[in-house]
């Protein structure tokens, strides 16, 4: 039921989503999108592709499948896919229940989306399941700030956003990655620690 509520929210929001986030994108998020996408090589899966804001940043040699829960958001992503530098296929599906076999992709990407998963641990587990040994898990998300005053504001904000749209502001996807035992290749935090980006690897056999 929570997943269905999230889907309906994003379908309703899709038509005005890009306009709503444009200022935040340009100022805070685009550098992390580039950071993630330039590390995605080979056969790539993007989970929760949304309106396709990552698509301009993938290298031409990537072969990308993007999935999202919301058909409304995928309609926006299809427009961006038409001008992407790489091959793109888009599918509607739940990121927590991916319709792909084990070890199907060289890289799995998810940006600014695990904050809205009903069960983020299950989402990360699915990403790791479809990742080939030696492959890259590439994440960026907004997390609890390292500044205690900002973090307090995030707790207040998510008291509104969690019931309204399922969005959390203080999660740390890195904890789930570490709990699953994936070696972390590189990671950093920006903007008072609010944005965290992470490159982990599934160990080769």
């Amino acid at each position: 039921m929570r997943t269905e509520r999230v889907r309906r929210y994003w379908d309703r929001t899709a038509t005005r989503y890009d306009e709503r986030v444009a200022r935040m994108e340009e100022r805070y998020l685009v550098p992390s999108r580039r950071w993630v996408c330039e590390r995605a090589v080979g056969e790539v899966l993007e989970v929760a592709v949304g309106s396709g804001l990552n698509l301009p940043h993938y290298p031409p040699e990537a072969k990308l499948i993007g999935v999202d829960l919301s058909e409304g958001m995928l309609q926006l992503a299809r427009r961006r896919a038409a001008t992407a530098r790489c091959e793109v296929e888009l599918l509607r599906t739940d990121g927590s229940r991916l319709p792909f076999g084990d070890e199907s992709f060289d890289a799995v990407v998810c940006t600014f989306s695990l904050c809205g998963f009903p069960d983020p641990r299950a989402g990360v587990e699915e990403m790791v399941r479809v990742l080939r040994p030696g492959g890259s898990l590439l994440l960026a998300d907004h997390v609890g700030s390292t500044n205690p005053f900002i973090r307090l504001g995030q707790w207040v904000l998510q008291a509104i956003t969690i019931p309204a749209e399922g969005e959390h502001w203080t999660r740390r996807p890195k904890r789930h990655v570490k709990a699953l035992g994936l070696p972390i290749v590189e990671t950093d935090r920006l903007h008072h620690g609010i944005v965290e980006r992470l490159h982990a690897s599934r160990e080769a056999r």
Side-chain angles (χ1 to χ4, degrees):
M1 291 179 63
R2 291 172 63 193
T3 298
E4 181 61 17
R5 186 174 73 236
V6 169
R7 183 193 65 77
R8 289 198 303 267
Y9 170 81
W10 288 111
D11 279 346
R12 291 194 308 270
T13 303
T15 55
R16 61 184 186 277
Y17 176 77
D18 283 356
E19 181 181 357
R20 190 184 75 179
V21 302
R23 185 173 297 180
M24 183 180 295
E25 275 290 319
E26 192 62 32
R27 188 169 182 181
Y28 298 111
L29 306 187
V30 167
S32 292
R33 293 188 187 280
R34 290 197 191 105
W35 187 94
V36 164
C37 293
E38 70 186 12
R39 289 161 173 75
V41 296
E43 293 184 284
V44 181
L45 173 68
E46 182 174 340
V47 177
V49 68
S51 67
L53 291 168
N54 285 338
L55 297 183
H57 306 299
Y58 283 103
E61 59 271 20
K63 185 176 179 181
L64 176 69
I65 295 178
V67 302
D68 201 89
L69 189 63
S70 164
E71 179 58 32
M73 297 296 277
L74 285 172
Q75 288 177 12
L76 302 178
R78 290 187 186 105
R79 298 174 195 169
R80 285 195 169 93
T83 58
R85 296 182 298 162
C86 66
E87 179 182 338
V88 180
E89 180 182 358
L90 298 169
L91 303 171
R92 191 177 83 81
T93 194
D94 182 355
S96 297
R97 299 176 181 177
L98 296 169
F100 308 108
D102 296 353
E103 302 179 3
S104 294
F105 297 94
D106 300 304
V108 178
V109 167
C110 186
T111 61
F112 306 106
S113 298
L114 278 166
C115 51
F117 273 52
D119 184 346
R121 171 66 180 255
V124 173
E125 287 176 346
E126 271 292 88
M127 294 176 207
V128 174
R129 179 184 68 80
V130 301
L131 189 61
R132 291 174 181 144
S136 296
L137 178 65
L138 296 156
L139 306 177
D141 223 318
H142 56 72
V143 301
S145 174
T146 51
N147 181 313
F149 298 104
I150 296 175
R151 191 165 62 250
L152 177 61
Q154 290 175 300
W155 278 104
V156 173
L157 178 62
Q158 71 180 11
I160 300 169
T161 60
I162 293 173
E165 58 197 71
E167 184 165 10
H168 297 248
W169 287 87
T170 57
R171 286 177 170 173
R172 289 288 304 279
K174 182 178 179 180
R175 292 172 181 161
H176 302 304
V177 175
K178 293 178 73 173
L180 292 169
L182 270 70
I184 294 176
V185 178
E186 52 185 329
T187 184
D188 62 4
R189 296 176 72 172
L190 310 170
H191 312 303
H192 300 286
I194 293 173
V195 173
E196 183 169 59
R197 51 198 190 186
L198 179 149
H199 176 189
S201 177
R202 182 171 181 179
E203 290 184 300
R205 292 186 182 132

